[in-house]
Amino acid sequence: MKRRLEKLMKLTIWVSIAMYLANKFVESSATFRHLLRVKKDSFYKWRHGKIYYTKTGSGSPLLLIHDLHPASSQQEWSKIIEPLSKDHTVYAIDLLGCGRSEKPQLTSYCNYLFVQLINDFIHDVIKEKTDVYATGKSGSFVIMAANMHSDIINEITLVNPESFGRLAVLPDFRSKIVKTALHLPLFGTFLYYQLVSRNQIEYQFTEKYYYNPFHLEDKTIFTYYEAAHTSQSGGRHLLAAISSNYMNFDIRNAFPKLTNPVHLIFGRELPDAEQIAEAYQKANKHTTCSFVEKTKMLPQLEAPKAFISSVTDI
């Protein structure tokens, strides 16, 4: 029995060492390209961590908020910031836990945390009523922020917002196990790096984000890969909350109360896009909708010219 325990302890030590070395190798190989450059004085010192943002152009303010994932960043908007900046002062942020923003070891990431971030950023940095574009799950933060403070948010554009049903899914026992595993220091880091590996990110783009995988550039994959690995494994705490449904919030009561003009933009080839659009339009009479042909989750990256046309036609 004693020998078995000794063997088990040795095996555990060697496995731990192997995981540690593998984690360090991934960290260094993911970030050596330095694709996510940081401009000086481009951080908003928020109470929960520093938020990276850029400011471009002149005109009425416009805030761009990327989809919620540790691999996402304002890179999502990189191909449309310049044309938008001709008529707007464009603010693009990396959300807490994403990109170049701080990635604190919070076990309490939740929807309301990001609602607070949006409200505080507009109040402290933009300092006037602003239009907002947001992708995917991040659209729910904007809806709740506008519901609470309609005086600081003007028109809202949601790119492929999640369905009401998906946003209403609550954490269950299985999802809580995933959350606990990702928070573990060594194993959680190892698991996180498998979930945000280069192959996994490329798979996401070819299967979900893009309609035509031949439009995908290597630089885009490597930028997302790097974003997931900045601040070592800090993004795993956010991914733990996302994977366990702690970032969900049922907006079926809040959305109909909005008086802000809301425009929805969907990738035509995204599954259930028309059904989701119909549900949003039925819920709020101020909602309009358009589709970008031959795109999926990220039309602003895959077909920037068509995306710009869809927003200028609003």
Side-chain angles (χ1 to χ4, degrees):
M1 183 69 177
K2 185 177 180 180
R3 288 183 178 178
R4 288 182 179 178
L5 287 174
E6 288 178 354
K7 288 182 179 179
L8 181 61
M9 287 181 66
K10 287 180 180 179
L11 179 62
T12 302
I13 291 171
W14 281 111
V15 169
S16 298
I17 292 172
M19 280 188 181
Y20 175 81
L21 293 175
N23 291 343
K24 289 300 178 183
F25 173 77
V26 170
E27 288 169 11
S28 60
S29 63
T31 58
F32 79 94
R33 294 176 182 84
H34 302 291
L35 296 172
L36 291 171
R37 300 186 183 278
V38 177
K39 295 180 180 179
K40 293 182 179 179
D41 303 320
S42 290
F43 286 93
Y44 164 50
K45 294 181 180 180
W46 193 43
R47 60 183 178 275
H48 294 293
K50 293 189 295 184
I51 303 300
Y52 183 79
Y53 74 96
T54 56
K55 179 182 177 182
T56 311
S58 61
S60 60
L62 170 61
L63 174 61
L64 304 180
I65 305 173
H66 60 80
D67 192 17
L68 186 68
H69 191 279
S72 296
S73 68
Q74 60 176 262
Q75 175 67 20
E76 176 184 305
W77 306 101
S78 59
K79 294 184 178 181
I80 67 166
I81 286 179
E82 184 178 348
L84 288 175
S85 65
K86 293 176 182 178
D87 300 307
H88 299 280
T89 302
V90 180
Y91 297 83
I93 67 172
D94 288 353
L95 292 171
L96 190 73
C98 303
R100 289 149 289 194
S101 289
E102 199 164 342
K103 300 180 178 182
Q105 296 184 14
L106 298 177
T107 57
S108 56
Y109 277 104
C110 63
N111 186 291
Y112 185 64
L113 182 72
F114 290 88
V115 174
Q116 288 180 304
L117 170 57
I118 292 169
N119 283 330
D120 290 346
F121 185 85
I122 296 172
H123 182 271
D124 297 338
V125 179
I126 301 178
K127 297 181 180 179
E128 59 180 305
K129 198 169 186 177
T130 183
D131 294 344
V132 182
Y133 291 8
T135 304
K137 193 183 293 290
S138 296
S140 64
F141 313 149
V142 178
I143 290 168
M144 295 306 300
N147 197 265
M148 296 172 60
H149 300 283
S150 60
D151 57 317
I152 63 172
I153 295 178
N154 191 27
E155 296 186 7
I156 299 170
T157 298
L158 304 179
V159 183
N160 289 312
E162 287 199 340
S163 68
F164 292 138
R166 180 67 190 86
L167 288 171
V169 175
L170 297 174
D172 56 18
F173 180 73
R174 183 179 178 181
S175 63
K176 289 177 181 178
I177 292 177
V178 174
K179 184 174 187 288
T180 300
L182 281 166
H183 281 305
L184 295 173
L186 188 61
F187 176 75
T189 299
F190 183 79
L191 176 60
Y192 172 70
Y193 286 158
Q194 307 313 304
L195 295 173
V196 295
S197 67
R198 184 190 179 282
N199 287 339
Q200 283 295 322
I201 290 172
E202 185 172 2
Y203 176 81
Q204 281 288 95
F205 268 96
T206 56
E207 296 298 320
K208 182 181 178 182
Y209 292 164
Y210 274 28
Y211 167 69
N212 187 344
F214 292 105
H215 290 163
L216 183 58
E217 301 169 357
D218 286 341
K219 183 180 179 181
T220 300
I221 297 175
F222 285 122
T223 302
Y224 271 67
Y225 183 49
E226 182 176 313
H229 293 79
T230 56
S231 302
Q232 289 79 48
S233 63
R236 65 190 167 91
H237 303 289
L238 174 59
L239 186 62
I242 297 169
S243 302
S244 55
N245 298 319
Y246 277 86
M247 299 306 304
N248 290 345
F249 195 95
D250 192 345
I251 61 171
R252 284 175 290 192
N253 288 326
F255 187 67
K257 296 177 183 177
L258 285 185
T259 57
N260 309 67
V262 179
H263 185 68
L264 311 177
I265 299 178
F266 287 92
R268 175 68 75 180
E269 309 303 328
L270 194 70
D272 301 323
E274 292 186 6
Q275 293 90 326
I276 296 172
E278 183 179 354
Y280 272 81
Q281 288 180 296
K282 282 185 177 180
N284 190 307
K285 64 181 181 180
H286 301 288
T287 304
T288 59
C289 181
S290 63
F291 293 84
V292 181
E293 303 297 330
K294 296 183 179 181
T295 64
K296 284 188 174 179
M297 188 66 192
L298 296 176
Q300 63 269 51
L301 260 182
E302 184 174 11
K305 290 183 179 179
F307 183 88
I308 288 293
S309 295
S310 68
V311 296
T312 54
D313 290 342
I314 298 175

